[in-house]
Amino acid sequence: MNDDTLRGRLVVATPALADGNFAHAVVLLLEHSAEGAVGVIVNRPTETPLATSVPEWASLAAEPTLLFLGGPVQPEAVIALARMYGPTEDVEQILPGVGVVDLSGDPTRIGAAIAGVRVFAGYAGWGAGQLEDEIAGGSWFVVDARPEDVFSDEPETVWRGVLRRQGGVFTTIPPDPTAN
């Protein structure tokens, strides 16, 4: 990876982002290169219990124990993130303490290394240069990610919380740009 990668960072939807799929979205970027970017929306729980989707992993689910909507691309595909106690070869680290876990693996074998799992249906994807153009156009803020952003037990507060954490002008951004 080059030094310009956004892998492991968050892109946070600005209030001006008109795409309904991404209004108030907070996306953890799992991959970012010259070919494009892939991430998951970390603040969109569904009403589907994780036990319904991947029952073998339900005992390791982080609260809330629901399936999350990772994005509009391939909603039938699932991506799982794990909050780890420490490095493990079974989890590809994305940021310190958080990585992608292969759901085809044995949860009982790696369960001791994992503090919690969050499963996402679908993902957010951008082609070559598309995310960079959207960032330059004012659709996304780019900020550092923390494990608690990905594994918040109150995902509906993540968008506002991430912005407030940035300080300054970010604390004054209204959820609705027409409220200015």
Side-chain angles (χ1 to χ4, degrees):
M1 288 267 159
N2 63 40
D3 292 335
D4 296 333
T5 185
L6 297 177
R7 184 178 193 258
R9 301 208 54 209
L10 297 175
V11 288
V12 180
T14 68
L17 185 59
D19 184 334
N21 289 311
F22 294 107
H24 299 108
V26 177
V27 180
L28 175 66
L29 293 175
L30 306 176
E31 294 295 334
H32 177 249
S33 69
E35 288 80 41
V38 171
V40 290
I41 301 172
V42 300
N43 62 330
R44 294 265 167 82
T46 69
E47 294 184 9
T48 304
L50 191 57
T52 303
S53 305
V54 283
E56 61 277 15
W57 289 88
S59 66
L60 294 172
E63 291 291 334
T65 59
L66 300 169
L67 181 67
F68 277 62
L69 178 61
V73 181
Q74 290 188 325
E76 69 284 354
V78 293
I79 295 174
L81 297 179
R83 189 161 193 180
M84 305 171 300
Y85 291 118
T88 174
E89 65 186 41
D90 296 304
V91 178
E92 178 190 352
Q93 186 168 296
I94 299 298
L95 63 118
V98 176
V100 177
V101 64
D102 181 357
L103 291 178
S104 68
D106 181 1
T108 59
R109 189 175 76 75
I110 64 173
I114 295 175
V117 172
R118 181 141 297 156
V119 179
F120 301 87
Y123 61 90
W126 295 265
Q130 184 181 5
L131 178 59
E132 293 80 358
D133 289 346
E134 290 181 15
I135 291 168
S139 294
W140 300 99
F141 299 120
V142 179
V143 302
D144 291 335
R146 294 181 179 173
E148 58 268 24
D149 301 329
V150 180
F151 288 96
S152 173
D153 57 359
E154 295 180 0
E156 65 280 353
T157 67
V158 171
W159 185 82
R160 173 59 59 206
V162 168
L163 290 178
R164 283 194 178 135
R165 182 173 77 223
Q166 307 314 306
V169 70
F170 288 95
T171 64
T172 64
I173 295 172
D176 179 359
T178 61
N180 284 338

